[in-house]
Amino acid sequence: MTAQFPPPVPDTEQRLLSHEELEAALRDIGARRYHNLHPFHRLLHDGKLSKDQVRAWALNRYYYQAMIPVKDAALLARLPDAQLRRIWRQRIVDHDGDHEGDGGIERWLKLAEGVGFTRDYVLSTKGILSATRFSVDAYVHFVSERSLLEAIASSLTEMFSPTIISERVAGMLKNYDFITKDTLAYFDKRLTQAPRDADFALDYVKRHATTPEMQRAAMDALTFKCNVLWTQLDALYFAYVAPGMVPPDAWQPGEGLVAETNSAEASPAATTAEPTAFSGSDVPRLPRGVRLRFDEVRNKHVLLAPERTFDLDDNAVAVLKLVDGRNTVSQIAQILGQTYDADPAIIEADILPMLAGLAQKRVLER
């Protein structure tokens, strides 16, 4: 007797997915690959980057923002339907604006200025990492050369952006004293623009991906776009976090910044520098904007200052953990003496030069 076996069920790569299944597959790509999962973004949102590291992000991200309307213009020129062109051109208006001083690119320039850059330096793109430029240019070429379905599907990262925007705005406002709501104004409109754009693109992909092969192409296009965003953060992390190898043609901290006026130096009465030597009765404290943080990626404590990051040895960490604006130097030495069963007088003599050195670097005051 010949048994009747049911026909094999094709997997998702071989059969045509329903609209609901296709959307679920696309959203799964974002859940696994979107750049909100990247370690650099976790550091950014959690307030664990220095001001210069935030500057590097703002500068490099500008190139991506500036090329988005170029990408959209390339796609717009290929759309055969007037209604589609009217819908898609709104994306260009969102970034370029309707008039001078309007649009997303202008708001990103204000973000870059808000963290200290001159506008001319940002516009020049001189300090952009080569990997940023390669990734963004690859995205523009992809949209220009691939099918309309793939080009539109690659924009579906917009489905995931409201979450990362909310995390970014809340985290940066909470954790960085040099960030204000005005600095982050770019993101206000994106909270409504991104869902609108994503809804259109998702509907287009559902209706036009009519074969398993076309559905797979749409998913691959979204994966490619996720990789474009991810590789930009890879480059930032490598250059400015760890191992900190900044390429010779990329932005170096201190370049392209607005000159900061030191009021003390400008004052004719300020003829001598404030002494930095500490005594046992002094109460050391961290200035505004300076924080002791544990870098989970590097597994060590660092001292974050507005424009610098300082690595610390174990002795410095032990001392700075007790710098709370209340303990005197002598009290800190007493606590450490009890903790390590050592003579407080010897400890105080050891830590006084260290405190003076930090004060000279303007990351400690009394």
Side-chain angles (χ1 to χ4, degrees), residues 67-68 70-71 74 135-145:
M67 294 302 289
I68 289 298
V70 176
K71 175 268 298 184
S135 296
V136 174
D137 290 352
Y139 180 39
V140 175
H141 287 300
F142 182 94
V143 171
S144 303
E145 298 165 2

Side-chain angles (χ1 to χ4, degrees), residues 47-100:
K48 295 180 179 179
L49 296 181
S50 69
K51 189 172 185 178
D52 278 334
Q53 290 167 334
V54 175
R55 284 169 169 161
W57 165 76
L59 178 67
N60 279 269
R61 180 76 180 190
Y62 168 75
Y63 186 69
Y64 173 78
Q65 301 299 150
M67 294 302 289
I68 289 298
V70 176
K71 175 268 298 184
D72 286 326
L75 195 153
L76 180 68
R78 301 170 59 202
L79 289 171
D81 180 81
Q83 177 62 17
L84 291 179
R85 291 195 295 271
R86 283 192 291 269
I87 293 172
W88 202 267
R89 76 184 181 195
Q90 183 59 47
R91 293 171 176 247
I92 300 175
V93 174
D94 289 344
H95 280 81
D96 284 344
D98 278 319
H99 52 79
E100 192 74 21

Side-chain angles (χ1 to χ4, degrees), residues 3 17 41 178 191 203 206 222 229 325-328 337 364:
L17 303 179
H41 266 170
F178 54 88
L191 284 169
D203 178 70
K206 286 178 177 179
L222 178 55
L229 297 172
R326 296 186 298 272
N327 288 326
T328 65
L364 193 70

Side-chain angles (χ1 to χ4, degrees), residues 14-322:
Q14 297 174 332
R15 67 181 177 85
L16 184 67
L17 303 179
S18 68
H19 286 182
E20 293 75 16
E21 289 174 322
L22 177 58
E23 179 175 347
L26 292 167
R27 291 189 181 278
D28 179 66
I29 292 171
R32 292 181 291 106
R33 294 177 174 270
Y34 194 53
H35 64 325
N36 66 315
L37 302 173
H38 196 285
F40 188 92
H41 266 170
R42 301 318 319 158
L43 295 173
L44 176 67
H45 300 167
D46 293 344
K48 295 180 179 179
L49 296 181
S50 69
K51 189 172 185 178
D52 278 334
Q53 290 167 334
V54 175
R55 284 169 169 161
W57 165 76
L59 178 67
N60 279 269
R61 180 76 180 190
Y62 168 75
Y63 186 69
Y64 173 78
Q65 301 299 150
M67 294 302 289
I68 289 298
V70 176
K71 175 268 298 184
D72 286 326
L75 195 153
L76 180 68
R78 301 170 59 202
L79 289 171
D81 180 81
Q83 177 62 17
L84 291 179
R85 291 195 295 271
R86 283 192 291 269
I87 293 172
W88 202 267
R89 76 184 181 195
Q90 183 59 47
R91 293 171 176 247
I92 300 175
V93 174
D94 289 344
H95 280 81
D96 284 344
D98 278 319
H99 52 79
E100 192 74 21
D102 184 36
I105 294 177
E106 176 64 26
R107 287 189 290 276
W108 196 272
L109 283 168
K110 291 187 183 302
L111 188 158
E113 290 175 316
V115 297
F117 282 110
T118 66
R119 175 174 290 244
D120 287 346
Y121 184 81
V122 179
L123 288 169
S124 75
T125 72
K126 287 191 299 187
I128 303 299
L129 290 165
S130 295
T132 298
R133 200 179 300 274
F134 292 156
S135 296
V136 174
D137 290 352
Y139 180 39
V140 175
H141 287 300
F142 182 94
V143 171
S144 303
E145 298 165 2
R146 294 299 187 94
S147 68
L148 280 175
L149 175 67
E150 291 170 292
I152 292 174
S154 69
S155 74
L156 283 172
T157 48
E158 300 281 20
M159 291 193 297
F160 321 119
S161 63
T163 298
I164 197 172
I165 289 173
S166 299
E167 290 178 355
R168 180 175 298 155
V169 171
M172 294 184 74
L173 286 175
K174 175 183 177 182
N175 294 309
Y176 300 110
D177 58 7
F178 54 88
I179 294 293
T180 67
K181 287 186 177 181
D182 288 340
T183 308
L184 300 180
Y186 167 84
F187 298 106
D188 292 343
K189 291 193 175 183
R190 293 306 299 161
L191 284 169
T192 55
Q193 292 169 350
R196 176 204 67 200
D197 294 343
D199 287 346
F200 169 80
L202 181 60
D203 178 70
Y204 183 95
V205 169
K206 286 178 177 179
R207 288 187 293 105
H208 289 83
T210 55
T211 68
E213 293 75 20
M214 294 174 77
Q215 290 181 338
R216 172 51 55 185
M219 288 186 275
D220 288 345
L222 178 55
T223 299
F224 168 80
K225 175 61 180 307
C226 287
N227 289 340
V228 165
L229 297 172
W230 194 278
T231 54
Q232 292 177 67
L233 296 181
D234 279 346
L236 279 169
Y237 192 96
F238 187 87
Y240 297 104
V241 180
M245 296 177 63
V246 182
D249 59 343
W251 176 73
Q252 298 282 349
E255 294 177 351
L257 302 180
V258 176
E260 295 183 3
T261 302
N262 188 317
S263 58
E265 291 179 358
S267 171
T271 57
T272 59
E274 181 182 352
T276 56
F278 279 73
S279 67
S281 61
D282 283 329
V283 179
R285 59 178 57 83
L286 297 178
R288 174 178 169 82
V290 178
R291 289 167 290 169
L292 178 66
R293 285 294 179 89
F294 184 75
D295 187 335
E296 296 178 357
V297 176
R298 300 168 63 194
N299 196 35
K300 66 183 300 183
H301 281 88
V302 296
L303 197 60
L304 296 181
E307 298 182 10
R308 297 159 293 170
T309 302
F310 296 89
D311 291 339
L312 303 170
D313 60 26
D314 292 341
N315 292 339
V317 172
V319 172
L320 289 173
K321 283 183 176 180
L322 298 174

